[in-house]
Amino acid sequence: MSVGTDSPERARPEPIQAVPVRHPGRWVAVAVIGVLVAMFVHLLVTNQAFNWSFMVDNMFRPPIMAGVRGSIALLVTSMLIGIVLGVVIAVMRLSENPILRGVSWAYTWFFRAVPRLVLAILFGNLGILWARIEFGLPFDRQIGALFGIQDFEARLFGFSAVDILTGFVAGMLALGLSEAAYMAEIIRAGIQSVDEGQTEAAQALGMTRGQILRRIVLPQAMRVIVPPTGNETIAMLKDTSLVAFVPVSAELFFQLRAVGSRTFQVFPMLVAATIWYLLLSSVLLVGQYYLERHFAKGIGRAGQAKARLRGMAVGGGGVTGGGGGV
Amino acid sequence: MTGVTVPGQAGVPAAESGPMVHAEQVHKSFGSIEVLKGIDLQVRAGEVCCLLGPSGSGKSTFLRCINHLEKINAGWIRVDGELIGYRERGGKLHEMREKEVAAQRRAIGMVFQRFNLFPHKTALENVTEAPLLVRREKRAEVRDRAAALLERVGLGDKLGNYPSQLSGGQQQRVAIARALAMKPKLMLFDEPTSALDPELVGEVLDVMKDLARDGMTMIVVTHEIGFAREVGDSLVFIDGGVVVESGNPREVIANPQHERTKTFLAKVL
Ligand SMILES: Nc1ncnc2c1ncn2[C@@H]1O[C@H](COP(=O)(O)OP(=O)(O)OP(=O)(O)O)[C@@H](O)[C@H]1O
Ligand SMILES: [Mg+2]
């Protein structure tokens, strides 16, 4: 075939029929993995220590289902506290008021430094500090004494600490308050990722700061916020097991271990725990997929959320590290 | 409060029959750098005022002062008789609260060089957002008005498109419709066609000409000399933070008086 013919109607060239590149390495990898998987399945099926029938019989029993519900309730409430408080702290951090910025910094500093396990135990023991939790004028007795009034009390309302700081609330606060510190950093990064021009355009239209944050900036920041928040949620799912130290007993891992140690079938119950956490985090992954797709609206790359979801399973990184584990 | 000079009694123009925009001795510094060094400007209602000047001369900064996106350090700006960003009480200036500033901005539309459309909202939602949220108008009414505005800028068939699905020229026309939806009495344009491919400039300028014919008061920062000559009622040449020369666009362009205007025009023509 000659190159550069002038004829206006050039014949369409024949489709390329080349020998494809061989990938012998792939076949070796398939063989190796195949053998390993076979060995693993063999272990699962033949090793008596797994005691599958016992595990299946026991992993859905009422106390364990109550534990699942307890763990989910903890997950939802502590993440809610984490996200709502996280937004507040992030906005404080970005504010022009130096006092708010300082408070926000100190909060993040404290709650990121202290391990969640320590926080959980600490909150479980707060009843030692106060028998009653009361809100009112601080130093009221001292001020009263200053003016010669004995037993001057300016308490607005109060309640018994033991009533309110039951295991669940203490665990929820420990996890939620610590989560807020991480979420604040994630949300701050998200807010800062939104182009300055968006705020200016909204200001020029006469929107107030709150309206701009809610309607313009946060919805766009969500694209950056959701993936690491998914990581945080899965980390939180696992960290709910820490509240066993508060102590809280309506919690999945505590219940599974209780069955395990009572029946001396520790190992099957550990496998049951693995399966339960796998199941629950898979549900979370699906939720994350739909959230990401929702907030990718208008970016024209909805397909990428799918790709990222696949990547997540292998361990996509977040803006900040996950919470502390045991 | 920042050191704003209080305008004297004589310097305060009457609200009625005064100019739509009246700026006197506007000064603006960023840190120690003074960007605006006393700008005076008057634009009557229905006029199109074109701001010209070399890069860094302070055109954008001045435009942003008019709707208080930047706080001025001295002088004053009135739009339709209302002092921008401050209230006068007992011969003293009081800074406005955020809500009051926002309320003032509603009457002033602004179009940016980089469009700044909301990417998570469709063309229609971009236009309806502020009237719904800020003016709290009825949804059906706003929708109809927005659709009509988009129709007017030639985008009647793109209501459901997201900004990422529109060309630059189309995005800028949505941005103009978005500003118009607030029923402004003044429109500010900051180099609205500078980020566009040459073949898309015309469609945006056509929309602006149409607006001008309709009697909208406009201040346009632009390098489009043709537009200034054809549509402009006045031309203001700014350099180094001061007004160097101003007048009828056709006369200034044909016969610039000042040396700096001459060199600048020689470069852009
Ligand atoms: N936020 C800011 N902080 C500090 N300096 C600024 C800020 N905004 C603008 N400037 C400075 O003010 C000067 C004027 O800027 P401005 O954007 O008003 O110029 P311009 O005339 O619009 O130029 P161009 O034609 O390039 O858009 C520039 O020197 C710029 O660096
Ligand atoms: Mg500019």
Side-chain angles (χ1 to χ4, degrees):
Chain A
M1 202 195 276
S2 70
V3 180
T5 44
D6 293 352
S7 82
E9 287 176 39
R10 284 164 46 184
R12 183 190 154 85
E14 281 175 23
I16 293 174
Q17 305 218 336
V19 180
V21 176
R22 308 271 179 221
H23 298 283
R26 285 187 194 169
W27 294 106
V28 174
V30 166
V32 171
I33 292 167
V35 169
L36 288 176
V37 168
M39 284 165 69
F40 184 62
V41 171
H42 177 253
L43 171 79
L44 292 185
V45 172
T46 59
N47 196 314
Q48 291 307 309
F50 279 104
N51 202 348
W52 291 106
S53 59
F54 175 84
M55 189 196 89
V56 172
D57 286 347
N58 283 278
M59 75 183 280
F60 300 106
R61 283 172 32 170
I64 287 173
M65 293 316 285
V68 170
R69 280 195 297 275
S71 286
I72 291 176
L74 257 178
L75 172 72
V76 171
T77 50
S78 58
M79 279 311 289
L80 269 181
I81 293 177
I83 290 170
V84 172
L85 194 57
V87 170
V88 173
I89 293 167
V91 170
M92 280 166 68
R93 191 67 180 274
L94 295 171
S95 110
E96 283 165 20
N97 183 332
I99 295 167
L100 293 183
R101 275 206 308 270
V103 169
S104 147
W105 181 88
Y107 183 96
T108 316
W109 168 76
F110 178 83
F111 279 99
R112 282 209 301 190
V114 183
R116 280 191 184 164
L117 178 59
V118 176
L119 277 179
I121 300 171
L122 185 75
F123 274 69
N125 289 289
L126 277 188
I128 293 170
L129 275 186
W130 309 287
R132 289 178 59 73
I133 294 182
E134 291 174 320
F135 293 89
L137 193 66
F139 299 111
D140 49 355
R141 278 166 180 280
Q142 289 81 345
I143 292 171
L146 216 61
F147 293 99
I149 308 168
Q150 292 292 316
D151 283 345
F152 173 71
E153 286 198 359
R155 310 277 156 95
L156 299 179
F157 63 97
F159 36 76
S160 157
V162 192
D163 287 351
I164 207 73
L165 278 179
T166 61
F168 185 86
V169 173
M172 177 183 87
L173 285 178
L175 294 180
L177 295 183
S178 132
E179 186 59 41
Y182 293 97
M183 284 309 302
E185 290 294 288
I186 291 172
I187 290 164
R188 181 168 68 105
I191 290 175
Q192 284 176 327
S193 78
V194 178
D195 180 24
E196 193 89 4
Q198 292 290 308
T199 303
E200 276 182 7
Q203 278 180 324
L205 286 166
M207 296 190 199
T208 58
R209 262 200 298 264
Q211 290 173 327
I212 296 171
L213 187 70
R214 263 185 301 118
R215 302 283 305 182
I216 307 298
V217 174
L218 274 183
Q220 292 182 58
M222 287 308 267
R223 239 168 13 96
V224 174
I225 290 172
V226 168
T229 303
N231 282 346
E232 288 295 313
T233 310
I234 286 168
M236 178 60 82
L237 171 67
K238 296 181 286 187
D239 285 352
T240 53
S241 60
L242 295 178
V243 301
F245 295 92
V246 167
V248 174
S249 54
E251 183 270 312
L252 176 61
F253 188 55
F254 181 90
Q255 292 296 335
L256 286 165
R257 277 217 313 187
V259 172
S261 43
R262 190 153 27 83
T263 58
F264 301 108
Q265 295 283 351
V266 174
F267 195 72
M269 286 296 103
L270 286 176
V271 175
T274 309
I275 293 174
W276 262 118
Y277 284 114
L278 269 176
L279 270 177
L280 293 176
S281 66
S282 303
V283 172
L284 292 178
L285 278 180
V286 173
Q288 181 178 354
Y289 165 68
Y290 283 105
L291 268 183
E292 284 188 21
R293 206 172 62 164
H294 175 76
F295 287 111
K297 214 171 46 173
I299 311 301
R301 293 186 309 182
Q304 286 207 343
K306 210 179 234 166
R308 219 167 24 234
L309 179 68
R310 271 185 242 116
M312 275 283 305
V314 195
V319 175
T320 59
V326 201
Chain B
M1 218 180 75
T2 43
V4 180
T5 52
V6 180
Q9 302 297 73
V12 183
E16 70 275 6
S17 80
M20 178 60 83
V21 180
H22 192 175
E24 283 275 336
Q25 281 301 303
V26 172
H27 288 254
K28 171 71 192 172
S29 310
F30 292 108
S32 59
I33 304 162
E34 189 162 56
V35 176
L36 302 181
K37 301 170 182 158
I39 294 212
D40 298 332
L41 182 84
Q42 288 200 35
V43 182
R44 283 192 303 276
E47 251 186 18
V48 176
C49 169
C50 294
L51 292 186
L52 255 67
S55 181
S57 56
K59 307 180 297 290
S60 300
T61 306
F62 178 62
L63 215 56
R64 295 158 54 81
C65 290
I66 296 177
N67 65 358
H68 210 53
L69 284 177
E70 304 283 1
K71 253 188 208 168
I72 61 178
N73 303 110
W76 50 263
I77 300 173
R78 279 176 191 279
V79 172
D80 205 10
E82 242 187 89
L83 204 56
I84 292 294
Y86 301 92
R87 227 172 322 100
E88 292 170 290
R89 221 192 279 132
K92 258 188 156 180
L93 287 187
H94 297 260
E95 268 184 64
M96 277 190 178
R97 300 180 173 283
E98 195 216 343
K99 278 222 166 67
E100 298 170 292
V101 173
Q104 274 191 333
R105 288 188 183 130
R106 282 166 211 173
I108 306 171
M110 188 162 193
V111 175
F112 300 85
Q113 184 174 354
R114 308 217 55 86
F115 327 139
N116 295 353
L117 288 183
F118 306 134
H120 58 305
K121 294 183 182 294
T122 62
L124 186 69
E125 288 166 349
N126 262 279
V127 180
T128 57
E129 178 71 13
L132 288 176
L133 191 70
V134 176
R135 290 172 60 113
R136 301 191 181 286
E137 293 178 70
K138 290 209 187 71
R139 184 167 288 275
E141 240 166 67
V142 172
R143 209 215 92 98
D144 289 348
R145 190 166 84 231
L149 278 169
L150 284 168
E151 183 74 44
R152 178 177 171 188
V153 299
L155 295 171
D157 54 340
K158 304 278 183 201
L159 304 188
N161 285 42
Y162 286 100
S164 61
Q165 301 164 331
L166 296 171
S167 75
Q170 291 170 334
Q171 288 189 49
Q172 193 61 298
R173 286 185 279 152
V174 173
I176 294 173
R178 175 176 72 175
L180 290 176
M182 291 297 283
K183 301 180 178 168
K185 45 192 174 191
L186 168 69
M187 287 282 286
L188 310 173
F189 294 84
D190 191 359
E191 302 197 33
T193 57
S194 296
L196 297 177
D197 291 338
E199 78 268 25
L200 301 177
V201 168
E203 62 189 47
V204 172
L205 290 183
D206 284 344
V207 168
M208 291 167 60
K209 286 175 195 169
D210 182 47
L211 259 182
R213 263 195 302 276
D214 255 28
M216 175 62 77
T217 315
M218 297 160 60
I219 300 182
V220 186
V221 174
T222 185
H223 293 307
E224 297 288 332
I225 301 298
F227 177 85
R229 197 158 33 197
E230 188 185 336
V231 187
D233 296 300
S234 64
L235 183 150
V236 175
F237 179 76
I238 295 179
D239 193 7
V242 292
V243 174
V244 174
E245 186 167 351
S246 64
N248 179 299
R250 288 155 289 278
E251 285 165 18
V252 175
I253 291 165
N255 191 13
Q257 298 299 310
H258 207 282
E259 205 50 49
R260 282 191 279 179
T261 322
K262 280 178 195 162
T263 22
F264 176 78
L265 284 173
K267 271 185 228 155
V268 292
L269 274 174

